[in-house]
Amino acid sequence: GRVAVIGIDGASMRVIEPMLEAGRLPNLESLAREGVMGPLRSAVPIRSPRIWNSIATGKVPQKHGVMDFAERGPDGKMHLLLSDSRRAHAIWNILSDSGLDVAVINMWNTFPPEKVRGVMISDHLLSREIEGRKSFTGAEDAPVGALVHPQSLAPKLSKLLSDAPPLVEFQNPFGVYVSLPLWTPRQSLSKRFDEDLALARFAYEVNRDIDPAFMMLLLPGIDRVSHHLWGALEPLESYPPNVRMSEAESYGARWILESYYEFTDALLGKLLSPYGPDDLVIVLSDHGFEAGVD
């Protein structure tokens, strides 16, 4: 059968387990019931490029070569790590070289896109994401070039970005007025919802068009939203008074965060609808238990 791997960046069992028990994540619950569920041990430091490249290659960072978001080049300046920074074959390279069609969407360090047998949509597709990486690493301007292989798909991608029908009927939680901490960038986080929706649409369309033997997609929204709203899961008194949420702000932040998990679960249901009992489906996160920490 076919294989689908869907990565949910930053997803935490601390949120997922009580929501599963409450019946709020029906598609994840179905996967857990019919298959296997458990925590994965991650590696310290938990930095997305390191972990996702380990997932893609089966090798520790020291072997695959992607240690961080950026590195200092011979010119003394910081540069974002790219697809040629990976020193080991990823699973999509191995399968493609074996004559199988693959579809890879938004996985870390896939720019420039590799010439696989099938489709690769680079992680540089979302320009705002790259601006953020450059900002916190101090990296120089990222190189420009094709964002998808084959390039003939570029017009279709542009159309889907600007005029794609929604993959699922789910209200953007940031469009609902609830109290949030003053430092929450509501408008910016609202766009994360639209971006995850677009990435899922790309994966759905590509899967339908080429029916690949292997599909791998990374949805970054939960991680980006959690960076701003995770504090709602901690006791209010654990924060200094000057950065403490009110009870209303804590409730609103938690509601939106959990709603985003429900939205992601709805996307999973649509993305996995073409797969049957003879196919292998894996849903995983990079934020498991830290190595050496209970």
Side-chain angles (χ1 to χ4, degrees), residues 1-288:
R2 299 165 297 170
V3 176
V5 180
I6 299 179
I8 307 176
D9 202 11
S12 171
M13 295 298 284
R14 180 173 168 186
V15 180
I16 289 171
E17 286 182 329
M19 293 187 71
L20 284 176
E21 292 174 5
R24 296 175 61 186
L25 303 174
N27 295 299
L28 274 176
E29 194 276 333
S30 176
L31 287 174
R33 183 180 65 251
E34 297 173 14
V36 176
M37 182 185 77
L40 293 177
R41 175 171 289 182
S42 195
V44 178
I46 299 181
R47 293 177 184 155
S48 291
R50 293 167 52 95
I51 307 304
W52 286 111
N53 276 282
S54 287
I55 290 169
T57 63
K59 298 183 183 299
V60 295
Q62 291 77 8
K63 288 190 176 181
H64 63 61
V66 180
M67 304 296 292
D68 213 327
F69 295 88
E71 66 181 3
R72 197 169 301 280
D75 58 0
K77 299 177 181 178
M78 295 298 290
H79 299 274
L80 295 178
L81 294 178
L82 305 175
S83 56
D84 59 6
S85 304
R86 193 185 308 108
R87 299 198 301 260
H89 272 56
I91 187 170
W92 52 80
N93 303 125
I94 297 168
L95 296 175
S96 182
D97 291 347
S98 300
L100 296 172
D101 287 338
V102 302
V104 182
I105 299 101
N106 195 48
M107 289 304 299
W108 274 93
N109 306 104
T110 49
F111 179 85
E114 299 161 80
K115 294 181 180 179
V116 294
R117 179 186 172 105
V119 172
M120 177 172 284
I121 300 174
S122 162
D123 63 329
H124 280 221
L125 179 70
L126 304 176
S127 58
R128 207 161 52 88
E129 178 78 10
I130 302 308
E131 289 303 315
R133 297 179 195 178
K134 286 164 50 183
S135 175
F136 71 77
T137 62
E140 294 290 296
D141 286 344
V144 296
L147 298 173
V148 59
H149 169 79
Q151 292 191 48
S152 58
L153 284 178
K156 182 174 183 177
L157 271 184
S158 297
K159 188 175 188 318
L160 285 175
L161 270 175
S162 60
D163 188 28
L167 191 63
V168 295
E169 294 296 332
F170 198 99
Q171 184 177 15
N172 187 333
F174 291 97
V176 178
Y177 182 77
V178 292
S179 294
L180 289 175
L182 293 177
W183 57 80
T184 306
R186 189 189 293 260
Q187 186 174 2
S188 174
L189 294 181
S190 177
K191 292 179 180 177
R192 295 297 185 181
F193 178 94
D194 297 330
E195 290 167 354
D196 271 5
L197 202 54
L199 291 169
R201 167 61 72 179
F202 299 155
Y204 185 79
E205 296 279 353
V206 167
N207 224 5
R208 186 181 62 181
D209 290 348
I210 70 170
D211 191 26
F214 175 83
M215 187 269 286
M216 193 166 190
L217 163 69
L218 179 61
L219 296 172
I222 280 180
D223 178 83
R224 309 306 185 260
V225 171
S226 297
H227 276 292
H228 296 275
L229 302 182
W230 186 264
L233 301 179
E234 305 295 342
L236 295 179
E237 60 273 13
S238 65
Y239 290 90
N242 60 320
V243 293
R244 188 174 297 169
M245 302 181 193
S246 67
E247 287 190 14
E249 290 170 341
S250 177
Y251 173 84
R254 187 179 191 120
W255 181 84
I256 284 186
L257 183 60
E258 292 179 350
S259 294
Y260 208 101
Y261 274 79
E262 291 176 318
F263 162 62
T264 303
D265 185 79
L267 291 180
L268 286 176
K270 188 68 174 181
L271 288 167
L272 300 180
S273 59
Y275 293 89
D278 293 330
D279 301 317
L280 174 63
V281 171
I282 300 171
V283 178
L284 76 168
S285 170
D286 55 337
H287 284 217

